[in-house]
Amino acid sequence: MMAWRILVASANPAKIRAVEQCFQTNYPQQQCSVLGINVPSGVAAQPMSSDETYAGAKNRLTALKQQAQADFYVAIEAGLDGDMTFAWMLIEHNDQLGKARSASLMLPNAALEALAQGQELGEVMDALFGTQNIKQAGGAIGLLTQNRLSRSGVYQQALTLALIPFLNPEWF
């Protein structure tokens, strides 16, 4: 059995780890090679709406497909939807798209105010909580849940939801 080549539209270790764990859980018999490639989102560094966040994920997916061949292409784009943060998950396989949103979480007013000034969530959370590069670790999710949940774990759930068309091809 040939190993699947899975490309992730990010060099962020938390996102890559979530994709690895998702595919290991959903396809335990399948060997997978997961590689992250940093590609542009084509939207603001901090998307401020669900539509802008989705556009960023879609743009990353398109850019990723131009970089190299793969069995699966995965884009994860985090952004805001009102006073909540979440991420869009897009998975493409054989020109078919699977998509899902992650769980949403409330952000403190201090974070929302800084985001409105143009800062990115990871930087804002680092400043508020005295952490360094939290976006590549537990993320705001880890900080705000006192590490009961992690960014990778929440993303892994949403990635599994985005795999639904591939887990149930007879319905899609």
Side-chain angles (χ1 to χ4, degrees):
M1 181 182 323
M2 294 284 295
W4 284 345
R5 180 174 165 85
I6 302 166
L7 295 181
V8 182
S10 176
N12 183 318
K15 292 180 180 181
I16 295 166
R17 187 169 43 257
V19 172
E20 287 171 340
Q21 292 169 345
C22 173
F23 276 84
Q24 286 171 358
T25 298
N26 288 287
Y27 299 99
Q29 306 304 319
Q30 178 65 51
Q31 292 275 28
C32 295
S33 167
V34 180
L35 175 68
I37 299 175
N38 197 21
V39 294
S41 70
V43 299
Q46 180 59 67
M48 298 299 282
S49 70
S50 180
D51 287 345
E52 185 181 14
T53 305
Y54 183 85
K58 193 74 172 144
N59 292 343
R60 286 186 193 276
L61 202 62
T62 300
L64 184 64
K65 289 170 23 185
Q66 295 169 355
Q67 295 287 324
Q69 290 295 319
D71 296 291
F72 288 86
Y73 300 92
V74 181
I76 302 170
E77 185 75 13
L80 292 184
D81 191 359
D83 63 353
M84 310 281 271
T85 185
F86 76 101
W88 271 107
M89 312 287 150
L90 301 182
I91 300 176
E92 190 170 311
H93 173 64
N94 292 337
D95 295 322
Q96 183 174 16
L97 183 67
K99 60 184 177 178
R101 280 180 53 144
S102 73
S104 300
L105 59 141
M106 294 174 55
L107 292 173
N109 284 335
L112 293 169
E113 290 166 10
L115 293 170
Q117 301 301 316
Q119 294 182 41
E120 284 186 63
L121 182 58
E123 297 165 358
V124 170
M125 298 309 285
D126 281 341
L128 291 177
F129 286 82
T131 53
Q132 263 192 322
N133 203 17
I134 196 64
K135 71 180 185 177
Q136 292 194 0
I141 294 166
L143 290 172
L144 293 171
T145 64
Q146 299 175 352
N147 293 312
R148 289 178 178 93
L149 297 174
S150 69
R151 185 179 194 190
S152 283
V154 169
Y155 284 5
Q156 182 183 342
Q157 284 185 329
L159 286 162
T160 295
L161 296 174
L163 277 176
I164 285 174
F166 313 114
L167 295 170
N168 303 278
E170 68 277 14
W171 293 102
F172 291 88

